[in-house]
Structures are given as structure tokens and as C-alpha cells.
Amino acid sequence: PGQPVQLTFALRQRGAARLARLVQAVSDPRSPRYGQYLSLEQLRDLVQPSPATLMTVLKWLQGHGVEDCRSVTTLDFLECYLPASTAERLLPGAEFHRYVQGQQSLVRSPLPYSVPAELAEHLDFVGGLHRFPTERRAASRARKEPQPARASFHLGVTPAVLRQRYNMTGGDVGLLPNNSQACAQFLEQYFHQADLAEFMQLFGSGFAHRTQVDRVVGRQGRGKAGLEASLDVEYIMSTGANVSTWVFSNPGRHESQEPFLAWLLLLSNMSSVPWVHSVSYGDDEDSLSYAYMERVNTEFMKAAARGLTILFASGGTGLGLEHQQQSAHLQCPRFPSPYVTTVGGTSFKNPFLVTEEVTDYISGGGFSNVFPMPEYQAAAVGRFLRSASKLPPSSYYNSSGRAYPDLAALSDNYWVVTNRIPLPWVSGTSASTPVVAGMVALINDRRLQRGLPTLGFLNPALYQLQKQGLGDAFYDVSGAGRGST
Ligand SMILES: *[C@@H]1O[C@H](CO)[C@@H](O)[C@H](O)[C@H]1NC(C)=O
Ligand SMILES: *[C@@H]1O[C@H](CO)[C@@H](O)[C@H](O)[C@H]1NC(C)=O
Ligand SMILES: *[C@@H]1O[C@H](CO)[C@@H](O)[C@H](O)[C@H]1NC(C)=O
Ligand SMILES: *[C@@H]1O[C@H](CO)[C@@H](O)[C@H](O)[C@H]1NC(C)=O
Ligand SMILES: *[C@@H]1O[C@H](CO)[C@@H](O)[C@H](O)[C@H]1NC(C)=O
């Protein structure tokens, strides 16, 4: 009963409709307000909960003796530490147990909880009870046995291959000291500075680059480096070369935290954060509550209002293959907010040469069952659905939903240095996502040099560019890849 647990209270925000209009205005290049982003303090003035909400929630907590709470700049989250027994009284229905798997141990309450009726209109959800860390869904995989036919020829993707394929010259590196980019690591994934240094020594010739992460926010464990973490850092710093790089790593001070939620709280509590964030992490829509998804979506709108770019890996399981057996026949999409940019994967058509790209069969994609299709992509998706051949039966996907991914880049056969060992054959959209993030950071670098605002939420601009003619801005990855279904 005395076990401390950490709960996150998501307080009902104000100004949701105004926030949506503002994000639209500052993210649309055709708008006179394009790029006129808000500071964190201005954002707080827009979204902070009403005094009645703050009072009611605080009185409720204090009434149960919950005192150890911390707020964020935008005042719309409270993070509190309290004994499990108090949490059970506070949230009727909750029942905490300790769950152990391998080295990991978590305290969670899998049962539904409730809050008193008078609190319901003041809270979006309470975090820290239900959710277990999932395996990283965007997980890259190191192939145990490379296909022998290719092993002898294909040297794999390195920074040089990426920079050649994406036409990046030696001059395409960051120049500004105050530009920045970040990767977010969750679930006890750590990188080692020594791996990064060795990686750059092996693969970093031909472009100016940094060999150090400038800032780690949160705890970096002492353990072995994780493949994911090494991959993220090494590749965001290869395309976003010479750009100051941060890592957000397992924030919070307690084992029972929810790292993803804790990261959102950090963003709401730091007035100065990198302009670009690469996240190789995701959840399936059907594992999340509607209230949680709606609120997390609002958190991404808050980031967009500040001019931050958030990129998510589109995931590794194609059209929700493991769910297709279900009776509904609807695929189970990842959780693609319409306010983030999702990145899928490609591979080289000729695996031996730096040539055109085709779809990587491991790249996830599809349609949301929760978020309706945003205006910005309606024309592009409509064109795709009319012209695509070999679509699955329409009962397998919900074409009224937000479609993803938005962009793609190479995701196959990367070299990664992890625990001082160069490892080939690493694949996944968690490779393509930091690659794209680094490119966005470079574009921001050029824009900041010219006194222009950062790109912020990309999608309205991306789809407008695409409409203006593919040749100039984007390469259309239309071919099916090896092993594609
Ligand atoms: C937010 O930042 C303030 C000031 O640095 C700090 O006191 C507070 O504990 C932070 N909140 C959380 C939830 O970490
Ligand atoms: C790189 O530049 C070449 C020559 O201008 C062009 O043919 C190619 O499509 C470009 N590659 C990409 C990925 O845009
Ligand atoms: C790398 O960035 C720094 C600023 O952070 C800049 O002073 C330096 O000139 C850049 N290096 C190159 C080779 O462009
Ligand atoms: C970055 O530095 C440049 C040059 O010193 C300055 O003009 C610009 O305002 C700074 N931008 C930010 C976002 O701090
Ligand atoms: C399809 O997506 C819409 C949102 O665009 C949603 O309202 C609807 O419930 C979804 N249908 C199914 C069967 O999940």
C-alpha cells in the first residue's frame, strides 16, 4: 500500500478551437500568419485551464493528502507522487499491483478507474495506471542472417550513401549555433557517446559533423547501448550534420512513469526546445482510449503552434498484418495524429546500387479509425485511391481517416555502431525518421540564416508542394519493393 506511484492528471484545457485555427494559420504557407509562432508563455495564455478547473482539481487532491505535485508552464498537466493506497481511494476502481518481467518491474492498475462526478468535466484523463510499455513498435531489426545473394555485394546504407542518394553536398551542413534537433528515446534505450564517435570516425568522412550529443534531457542509464538509440542519434547527426543535437531520454524519477507522457510534459515545461523532434515510437490505436488520443493530439497542436516539427516513424507492420485475421477486417492503424508528420520506409530497387527507391515492405501505413482525414491531404489521398492498383478490399481500411505515412526515406540495411561494434543489416522506419528529421533541421538552418521562421508543422506545406508538381520537391515512391504484398 505504501508503494509510491506517479500519476499524471491531464487538466481540461481552454481554447481548443482557437488553438486549431491558430495552428492552421501558422502552418499554411498561403496564410498571412505563416510562421508567426507562439512562445510557450503565449501558448499558456491560450490553453491554460480555467481557474475553476485548477481549484477543483487541487482541492480534490489536497482533500486526499496529495501534496507532492508538479505543474508545467502551460498549467494543463499535474504530475503527482502518492502512495498506491491513496491512489486507490482517489480513483475508485483502481487496484495497484506490481508486474515483473525480466529486469523490469512496474506498478500498474489494469482495472478501470473513475473520478467523482464533479471532477469529470475538469479532467481529460489520469495517466500512469493502465499502460504498460509496449515493445517499440517502430523497432528496427538487426537481421540475424542476411540473404546470402546480397551479402557479398551490398555494402549497406551509410551516411555517404544517404547523402549521395538525397543530393546532399559537403556544403549541406548546419551553420548556426542556435539551430537544434532532437531524438526522443523511451523504454530504457540509451546511446553511448563513444559509439557515436566511432560511427563518425568510420562513416563521417566527406561532410562536417559533430561527434557529441550536446544535451541529454532526462536520465541516461548506465547499461548497454540500445540499437534504436544508437541508430537515431547516429543518423539524425548524419543528415542534420553539424546541427546541435539533443536526446530526450526516459524522463521522470520513478520506475512507474509513462515515458511518452513524461516527454509531452517536458515539452510543455521547457520554453526552449529543439525545433525538430524524431520519435521512433508508436502505439496502436486500438490499445488507447479515445480521451487519451484526443488529448495527445492537442499536445501535438501545441507543439505546432510553437513552430516545432514532430516526426514519427510509421511503424514496422505494414497494413496491421497481425490484426487482419480479426472479424471486422479493419486494419489496426498506428496512432497517427493529423498534427505530426509520419515517415515510412523505402529500399533501393537495385539493392547493389544507389538508384531509385521502391516501397520497403516493412513500412507501415494506412488510415486512422479515429482521426478524420485532414483537409491538407484530401486531394492527394483521393488521387492515390483512384489511381492505385492492387489495393486490398475496401472493407480492410477506413478511407475516411487520416492517411499515413506522409513522407518516406530509405529504411533498409543500415550500418549502426552500438556497444562499439559496427552492425550491418539494421532496418526499420526508425532509421528513415531521424534521416528526414536531420534534413528538416538543415532546411531550418538555412531559413533561420535568412531571418525566416522554422518550418514548424510540415504537412500543409508538404502537400501543397506535392500538388505544385512532384519533380521539384519530391520523388514519388510508387514501385512495390522486394517481398512487398
Ligand atoms: C516544470 O519546470 C519547473 C521549473 O523548472 C519545475 O519546478 C517543475 O517541477 C517542472 N514540472 C515537472 C512536471 O517536471
Ligand atoms: C538528385 O539530383 C539528380 C540530378 O539533378 C536527380 O535526377 C535526382 O532525381 C535527384 N534525387 C532526388 C532524390 O531528388
Ligand atoms: C558548424 O557549426 C558551427 C556553429 O555551430 C559553425 O560555427 C561552423 O562553421 C560549422 N562548421 C562548418 C564546417 O560549417
Ligand atoms: C539564432 O542566431 C541568429 C544569429 O545570431 C539570430 O539572428 C537568431 O535570432 C537566433 N535565432 C534563435 C531562434 O534564437
Ligand atoms: C472510420 O474513421 C472515422 C474517422 O475518420 C471514424 O469516425 C469511424 O468510426 C471509423 N470507422 C470504423 C469502422 O472504425
Side-chain angles (χ1 to χ4, degrees):
Q3 168 75 37
V5 296
Q6 177 191 309
L7 297 180
T8 303
F9 300 87
L11 278 61
R12 182 67 47 85
Q13 296 150 321
R14 288 190 296 184
R18 265 199 302 159
L19 178 63
R21 284 196 301 275
L22 181 122
V23 169
Q24 171 66 30
V26 300
S27 312
D28 183 343
R30 295 168 306 191
S31 151
R33 294 177 65 195
Y34 181 58
Q36 293 176 23
Y37 304 124
L38 302 189
S39 67
L40 186 59
E41 287 66 31
Q42 290 169 322
L43 182 63
R44 177 196 56 211
D45 295 344
L46 185 61
V47 302
Q48 63 178 307
S50 70
T53 292
L54 291 170
M55 286 273 294
T56 309
V57 173
L58 281 175
K59 264 176 66 181
W60 172 58
L61 292 172
Q62 277 162 7
H64 284 82
V66 181
E67 306 273 344
D68 185 4
C69 293
R70 301 185 296 171
S71 186
V72 295
T73 306
T74 46
L75 301 175
D76 47 1
F77 283 113
L78 268 181
E79 190 181 86
C80 302
Y81 293 84
L82 56 163
S85 55
T86 306
E88 288 176 356
R89 279 197 301 278
L90 196 63
L91 303 168
E95 195 182 296
F96 286 89
H97 297 273
R98 175 175 291 283
Y99 295 82
V100 180
Q101 184 184 52
Q103 305 277 0
Q104 263 199 333
S105 148
L106 292 169
V107 175
R108 288 287 188 274
S109 161
L111 300 174
Y113 65 90
S114 57
V115 297
E118 63 272 22
L119 264 303
E121 63 176 295
H122 300 297
L123 286 174
D124 286 334
F125 69 88
V126 181
L129 289 100
H130 288 157
R131 286 155 46 72
F132 290 91
T134 42
E135 304 280 310
R136 280 191 22 157
R137 288 310 180 90
S140 57
R141 304 165 301 158
R143 284 200 200 127
K144 295 252 156 41
E145 291 171 42
Q147 285 126 289
R150 272 192 276 160
S152 50
F153 302 100
H154 193 266
L155 300 178
V157 174
T158 61
V161 169
L162 287 167
R163 295 181 71 89
Q164 180 189 345
R165 169 61 191 155
Y166 296 125
N167 289 341
M168 301 173 77
T169 67
D172 291 322
V173 300
L175 300 173
L176 290 185
N178 59 0
N179 185 27
S180 52
Q181 58 190 4
C183 350
Q185 312 288 351
F186 306 115
L187 312 180
E188 309 295 322
Q189 279 273 335
Y190 309 118
F191 77 98
H192 289 173
Q193 296 273 17
D195 288 341
L196 175 61
E198 182 176 325
F199 176 85
M200 287 301 181
Q201 200 164 31
L202 284 171
F203 300 116
S205 60
F207 59 99
H209 56 264
R210 301 187 179 210
T211 52
Q212 286 275 318
V213 167
D214 285 329
R215 185 156 171 205
V216 176
V217 183
R219 287 179 300 115
Q220 261 273 92
R222 299 257 167 87
K224 282 177 60 177
L227 184 62
E228 303 277 345
S230 311
L231 172 69
D232 285 359
V233 165
E234 288 164 11
Y235 280 92
I236 198 172
M237 293 179 73
S238 295
T239 48
N242 198 37
V243 175
S244 176
T245 305
W246 296 23
V247 168
F248 285 83
S249 184
N250 296 293
R253 57 175 152 122
H254 199 266
E255 60 171 25
S256 69
Q257 68 193 307
E258 271 184 51
F260 185 71
L261 202 49
W263 174 69
L264 291 176
L265 264 67
L266 277 174
L267 290 185
S268 288
N269 206 29
M270 297 176 75
S271 57
S272 181
V273 291
W275 293 112
V276 180
H277 297 259
S278 172
V279 188
S280 304
Y281 172 91
D283 282 306
D284 287 338
E285 272 182 354
D286 68 355
S287 73
L288 303 170
S289 75
Y290 183 73
Y292 177 90
M293 285 188 277
E294 276 287 300
R295 176 56 187 261
V296 171
N297 197 42
T298 306
E299 295 307 307
F300 293 136
M301 290 166 71
K302 283 165 61 184
R306 300 168 71 186
L308 309 183
T309 302
I310 313 258
L311 297 156
F312 269 76
S314 81
T317 52
L319 294 165
L321 289 173
E322 75 260 55
H323 294 273
Q324 279 193 3
Q325 313 310 328
Q326 287 174 4
S327 53
H329 279 308
L330 267 175
Q331 53 152 320
C332 173
R334 298 285 300 283
F335 162 42
S337 158
Y339 291 100
V340 300
T341 301
T342 44
V343 182
T346 66
S347 52
F348 284 124
K349 185 167 189 180
N350 180 337
F352 314 121
L353 297 172
V354 180
T355 53
E356 65 191 287
E357 286 158 74
V358 292
T359 315
D360 186 354
Y361 72 96
I362 63 167
S363 175
F367 293 85
S368 171
N369 283 323
V370 174
F371 298 108
M373 184 177 299
E375 225 317 280
Y376 60 71
Q377 66 173 192
V381 178
R383 248 191 334 271
F384 166 76
L385 288 174
R386 282 192 303 275
S387 64
S389 57
K390 294 200 294 185
L391 287 174
S394 61
S395 61
Y396 276 50
Y397 58 93
N398 184 344
S399 62
S400 72
R402 186 264 200 263
Y404 71 104
D406 303 296
L407 287 173
L410 286 165
S411 58
D412 198 26
N413 290 338
Y414 277 59
W415 279 94
V416 175
V417 173
T418 192
N419 299 302
R420 308 304 295 274
I421 298 169
L423 215 62
W425 309 107
V426 177
S427 299
T429 52
S430 40
S432 49
T433 307
V435 162
V436 172
M439 293 177 184
V440 176
L442 276 192
I443 299 173
N444 278 343
D445 207 88
R446 295 300 181 268
R447 289 179 62 86
L448 291 169
Q449 274 175 58
R450 289 172 202 175
L452 295 170
T454 56
L455 289 173
F457 172 48
L458 295 175
N459 292 7
L462 286 184
Y463 285 90
Q464 279 169 40
L465 281 171
Q466 191 249 8
K467 206 156 138 194
Q468 285 160 18
L470 273 172
D472 301 338
F474 300 112
Y475 177 84
D476 190 11
V477 181
S478 52
R482 287 164 279 129
S484 177
T485 48

